[in-house]
Amino acid sequence: PVHASPAQHTARRRAMGRRKQSPAHAPARAEECRGCLPALPSTKSIKSVGQGAPPMSFRDLDSFWRAHPHFVYAPAAVAAGLHCLWYIPCVASFFASQTITPWGVAAAAHYTGFAILLAFATHGCACVLLPCQDPTHKLQAKAFEVSPMAAATRCTAVLLTEMIYAFLPARPPSSSWVEFWGCVAALVLTWDFEFFVVHKLAHDIPALYRRVHKLHHAITNPNCFAAYFVTYQSHLLLEQLVVISASIAFAPRDVVAFVLYTGTLATYMEHSGFEFEGLRVPLARGITLGHVLTLSCWFGMPLGLMRSEHHDWHHERFVGNYALYFTYLDKLAGSFHPGRVPGAASANKNACDERKSRQGYEHPTAVADDAVASSSSDDC
């Protein structure tokens, strides 16, 4: 008040100081940086995902492993099983005839370290480089609902189980480019088919979904760490068993390594929440990362390549787009959806915000983002 006494002014300043320091205003400050590091959802909202401690509350590996010891003993059991294969006479003789040897600790550690570092690098690129180059690369016009730090903890724990590949029975390297690309195509097609079948069954069978796959879909607006935000049984079924089987059956060790390294980058981009394929390659006018990825999987071009917007739609709606590499299986099964058009969600949200601000709304940012890019009936 203009005519307040000095004592009243002093009391008011003190009250304002206490108000600025009050924890009650922390959510508002956290909300300002929600795009880069969103607050964790409440325990009540995520208890349905699993038993025990909320799966999104772990922010360090020690507490995660204490709560989930099977992430230690289950991979150890798989590694022990692989090691024991050499002590079965008929298997050992087959390995000797095919010159199959273990992949080795060094190779497994190199891939594991690469995969962990690449997760953080890809997430940093998605959150820093892409929005600066073109904000329309974001597929969903809303902030991440799960803290990347919490998702990164489980992602790292899952990737550390890749050390079982130290005992992977590995064939000799390919002897020609024809053999190399033929085996790459065979492995990718086999993995894509197995992933489609198991993934679709995990959605169609409620018991399997609850025990194996439900946790992965706790994140509907994914970031790069969501790629391995899974249970170990899901990772075993959808990756490790495929790699082990293919390596023993037909895939040379250089083919296995090529598919693992490139496939890891591809799955991070599919889960990034951004359209990476439109990212321009430096010093190469008119060439995008999508062109480079297409060339690395040139044999699958007639089958249709799975892109970020396809898998992002799967996370948002829980249905369709079940395959890993290609779209042809989903098209044959009638489960394919083209997903969002990059930038359409943010454009629709901006239009809704502008319309609401013109109508006098005080909180235009509370618009529900249910827009579908392929639909012409987008509304606020």
Side-chain angles (χ1 to χ4, degrees):
V2 178
H3 300 291
S5 65
Q8 289 175 326
H9 279 298
T10 301
R12 187 165 181 265
R13 284 195 296 270
R14 289 176 179 174
M16 292 177 66
R18 288 193 299 269
R19 183 172 180 267
K20 290 180 180 179
Q21 298 174 359
S22 173
H25 293 81
R29 290 193 296 272
E31 186 73 14
E32 295 175 1
C33 62
R34 192 160 53 103
C36 57
L37 184 60
L40 285 173
S42 66
T43 301
K44 182 177 179 182
S45 65
I46 59 177
K47 275 187 175 179
S48 60
V49 175
Q51 299 297 325
M56 301 180 202
S57 64
F58 300 104
R59 295 197 172 207
D60 63 86
L61 287 172
D62 290 339
S63 60
F64 180 87
W65 279 326
R66 282 195 297 269
H68 303 285
H70 65 277
F71 267 85
V72 177
Y73 64 72
V78 175
L82 290 174
H83 182 65
C84 289
L85 291 176
W86 268 269
Y87 295 94
I88 302 174
C90 60
V91 177
S93 61
F94 172 76
F95 286 171
S97 65
Q98 300 293 318
T99 323
I100 293 177
T101 57
W103 207 35
V105 175
H110 187 280
Y111 168 67
T112 302
F114 167 83
I116 294 173
L117 292 176
L118 185 64
F120 288 89
T122 311
H123 181 71
C125 177
C127 293
V128 177
L129 178 60
L130 288 180
C132 293
Q133 188 179 99
D134 187 354
T136 62
H137 283 290
K138 187 77 171 69
L139 292 171
Q140 297 188 42
K142 58 183 179 182
F144 297 134
E145 69 235 310
V146 177
S147 167
M149 183 182 297
T153 301
R154 177 175 284 267
C155 174
T156 303
V158 171
L159 289 172
L160 285 172
T161 68
E162 307 287 48
M163 284 302 299
I164 70 167
Y165 291 146
F167 304 94
L168 177 71
R171 290 174 169 269
S174 54
S175 58
S176 66
W177 284 111
V178 174
E179 181 187 3
F180 177 82
W181 284 112
C183 290
V184 167
L187 177 53
V188 168
L189 289 169
T190 301
W191 197 344
D192 187 62
F193 179 79
E194 188 272 350
F195 192 96
F196 174 82
V197 173
V198 176
H199 191 190
K200 194 170 189 311
L201 287 175
H203 278 267
D204 293 342
I205 302 175
L208 190 62
Y209 179 78
R210 286 193 302 270
R211 293 180 178 273
V212 174
H213 197 54
K214 182 178 180 180
L215 176 65
H216 186 59
H217 279 283
I219 300 179
T220 60
N221 183 22
N223 56 56
C224 296
F225 301 117
Y228 290 97
F229 193 83
V230 296
T231 61
Y232 180 66
Q233 52 267 38
S234 173
H235 188 56
L236 181 66
L237 287 172
L238 293 174
E239 178 187 310
Q240 291 180 347
L241 287 181
V242 180
V243 173
I244 293 170
S245 302
S247 182
I248 294 175
F250 65 87
R253 64 175 63 216
D254 55 340
V255 169
V256 172
F258 177 81
V259 173
L260 280 176
Y261 279 77
T262 57
T264 301
L265 175 60
T267 193
Y268 287 151
M269 292 191 298
E270 285 184 1
H271 288 86
S272 66
F274 288 83
E275 191 249 344
F276 261 91
E277 291 82 1
L279 182 64
R280 297 187 299 273
V281 176
L283 304 179
R285 181 176 298 180
I287 298 178
T288 65
L289 185 58
H291 297 142
V292 177
L293 295 175
T294 300
L295 289 176
S296 68
C297 199
W298 55 269
F299 53 85
M301 292 175 60
L303 305 177
L305 297 179
M306 189 69 69
R307 295 168 61 95
S308 303
E309 56 266 29
H310 300 148
H311 197 72
D312 195 274
W313 174 268
H314 174 78
H315 269 268
E316 184 181 3
R317 302 293 178 170
F318 301 160
V319 294
N321 300 346
Y322 298 109
L324 178 62
Y325 286 104
F326 309 115
T327 60
Y328 76 102
L329 289 172
D330 281 293
K331 290 178 179 178
L332 292 174
S335 56
F336 176 74
H337 192 283
R340 290 183 179 274
V341 174
S346 58
N348 179 75
K349 183 177 185 298
N350 292 337
C352 290
D353 290 352
E354 184 179 355
R355 190 184 312 169
K356 282 181 174 289
S357 62
R358 288 200 305 267
Q359 294 173 354
Y361 285 84
E362 295 183 358
H363 303 286
T365 57
V367 178
D369 180 32
D370 291 326
V372 180
S374 60
S375 172
S376 60
S377 59
D378 290 332
D379 55 34
C380 298

